[in-house]
Amino acid sequence: MNKLFEDRAKKYFGFKYEEFINKLSKPCTQGFFLNTKKADEKNIIDLIDFEYSESELTNSSYYHNCDGIGKTKAYQLGLIYPQEIAASISSTLIDFKEIKTVVDMCSAPGGKSINFINKLPDDTLFICNDVNHLRSTILSSNLERLGLSNVIITNKKCDDLSKELNNYADLVILDAPCSGEGMIRKYPEILDEYSLENIIELSKIQESLLENAYTMLRNNGILIYSTCTYAFEEDENQIINFLNKHKDIEIIPIKDKYESTLDGTIKLSPLNNTEGQFICI
């Protein structure tokens, strides 16, 4: 175990630290959700030919242990999308009735976008952006396989995108690039290059992306900020600094059973039988 991460995890989890470290030695969780834009729930369930179980965290995602899920009939038909349970939660936390325009700033490979599109009215315009061209092509392939429409894929720097979409979106999704502490069970190699310098550098990028998101938001628009890390610099402190800069922004409290060190937000970890995720609305 990386000594720096151990020291920081003690601050993150306090008296639950030992339980957290024990959970890290267990296999990572795997999840999926249904593409109900393509078929109804019953018809999809009938075609699933591997074992799965319901999640206690959200009723719209399921656990599975199928290592070859990408080769299953339901996947090939675009009826399911593999996504970790914690990452699926953000799409269940808001009311979509007044949302007509959406921008997902860092969308590829598309899991969060697809999950949101599933819950939005068909006349909603959804812009999926990713600065990386290769990742954008993967995003395009996933959207095509799932048969989703009313989607525009862009391949732009968020600085440029925010200028073009100034005061545009009812909903902005920022699943920010992060240090990935919450994905260590799945990608243990994250600890090989783990450093405070990297966390600080990423926090600067996140700060810039939040400013881009603010520019794109319409008056009374909603921003969903998420990471898959536990770092205060990338999560709670990032939000506090953002609120201090923009007095017209306020947290919409997430009223649920999830724990957090910042009121109104949630932070999940293997302690919740899932991987790491911080979410603020």
Side-chain angles (χ1 to χ4, degrees), residues 156-173:
K156 289 179 174 288
K157 294 180 179 179
C158 288
D159 283 342
D160 297 331
L161 189 71
S162 65
K163 291 172 185 174
E164 295 179 18
L165 299 179
N166 189 317
N167 193 34
Y168 172 81
D170 298 313
L171 171 64
V172 174
I173 302 164

Side-chain angles (χ1 to χ4, degrees), residues 184-250:
I184 287 171
R185 290 203 299 188
K186 187 174 184 179
Y187 305 113
E189 62 272 17
I190 286 171
L191 291 178
D192 294 342
E193 299 181 6
Y194 184 76
S195 70
L196 183 58
E197 291 77 14
N198 186 45
I199 290 172
I200 292 171
E201 188 60 34
L202 283 161
S203 71
K204 294 176 181 175
I205 293 171
Q206 294 152 0
E207 182 179 6
S208 175
L209 291 172
L210 277 166
E211 291 305 305
N212 295 148
Y214 179 81
T215 298
M216 286 187 278
L217 275 178
R218 285 181 177 170
N219 188 36
N220 294 321
I222 296 173
L223 165 64
I224 298 182
Y225 176 81
S226 61
T227 72
C228 54
T229 190
Y230 311 119
F232 298 129
E233 297 92 336
E234 302 178 69
D235 294 347
E236 294 89 348
N237 294 355
Q238 194 69 255
I239 296 301
I240 291 169
N241 292 337
F242 184 58
L243 295 174
N244 286 338
K245 281 192 285 187
H246 300 289
K247 300 302 182 182
D248 57 334
I249 294 286
E250 61 183 25

Side-chain angles (χ1 to χ4, degrees), residues 3-218:
K3 179 64 165 57
L4 175 62
F5 179 71
E6 283 184 328
D7 291 342
R8 289 176 65 87
K10 289 175 183 176
K11 296 178 181 177
Y12 300 152
F13 297 103
F15 71 93
K16 292 186 176 181
Y17 168 75
E18 294 295 340
E19 183 184 355
F20 169 75
I21 292 298
N22 181 57
K23 294 281 189 182
L24 281 189
S25 66
K26 309 298 182 185
C28 67
T29 55
Q30 300 183 88
F32 71 92
F33 62 83
L34 310 183
N35 176 19
T36 51
K37 289 290 187 185
K38 202 167 192 180
D40 64 40
E41 182 175 341
K42 182 182 183 306
N43 287 334
I44 298 174
I45 293 294
D46 287 345
L47 285 169
I48 293 177
D49 54 2
F50 55 88
E51 291 187 6
Y52 64 93
S53 60
E54 294 184 358
S55 164
E56 66 275 19
L57 294 174
T58 170
N59 59 9
S60 63
S61 297
Y62 303 86
Y63 291 110
H64 74 90
N65 290 305
C66 178
D67 290 334
I69 193 170
K71 297 179 181 179
T72 63
K73 182 188 299 183
Y75 179 92
Q76 295 291 340
L77 291 172
L79 298 174
I80 61 173
Y81 189 90
Q83 186 180 54
E84 213 289 309
I85 299 294
S88 296
I89 288 175
S90 58
S91 68
T92 68
L93 300 174
I94 62 171
D95 185 349
F96 291 101
K97 284 187 291 189
E98 302 300 322
I99 294 173
K100 297 299 180 184
T101 51
V102 184
V103 177
D104 190 345
M105 297 172 61
C106 308
S107 182
K112 275 196 167 65
S113 290
I114 292 165
N115 211 340
F116 275 87
I117 292 168
N118 258 271
K119 296 176 175 64
L120 286 161
D122 290 337
D123 61 348
T124 305
L125 178 61
F126 205 108
I127 297 176
C128 296
N129 181 70
D130 203 276
V131 68
N132 184 291
H133 181 262
L134 177 59
R135 285 171 59 84
S136 293
T137 62
I138 296 170
L139 167 64
S140 177
S141 176
N142 282 330
L143 290 168
E144 183 176 358
R145 179 175 58 82
L146 274 74
L148 300 174
S149 59
N150 291 358
V151 181
I152 296 173
I153 297 173
T154 55
N155 178 213
K156 289 179 174 288
K157 294 180 179 179
C158 288
D159 283 342
D160 297 331
L161 189 71
S162 65
K163 291 172 185 174
E164 295 179 18
L165 299 179
N166 189 317
N167 193 34
Y168 172 81
D170 298 313
L171 171 64
V172 174
I173 302 164
L174 174 53
D175 188 37
C178 69
S179 55
E181 293 172 333
M183 301 302 290
I184 287 171
R185 290 203 299 188
K186 187 174 184 179
Y187 305 113
E189 62 272 17
I190 286 171
L191 291 178
D192 294 342
E193 299 181 6
Y194 184 76
S195 70
L196 183 58
E197 291 77 14
N198 186 45
I199 290 172
I200 292 171
E201 188 60 34
L202 283 161
S203 71
K204 294 176 181 175
I205 293 171
Q206 294 152 0
E207 182 179 6
S208 175
L209 291 172
L210 277 166
E211 291 305 305
N212 295 148
Y214 179 81
T215 298
M216 286 187 278
L217 275 178
R218 285 181 177 170

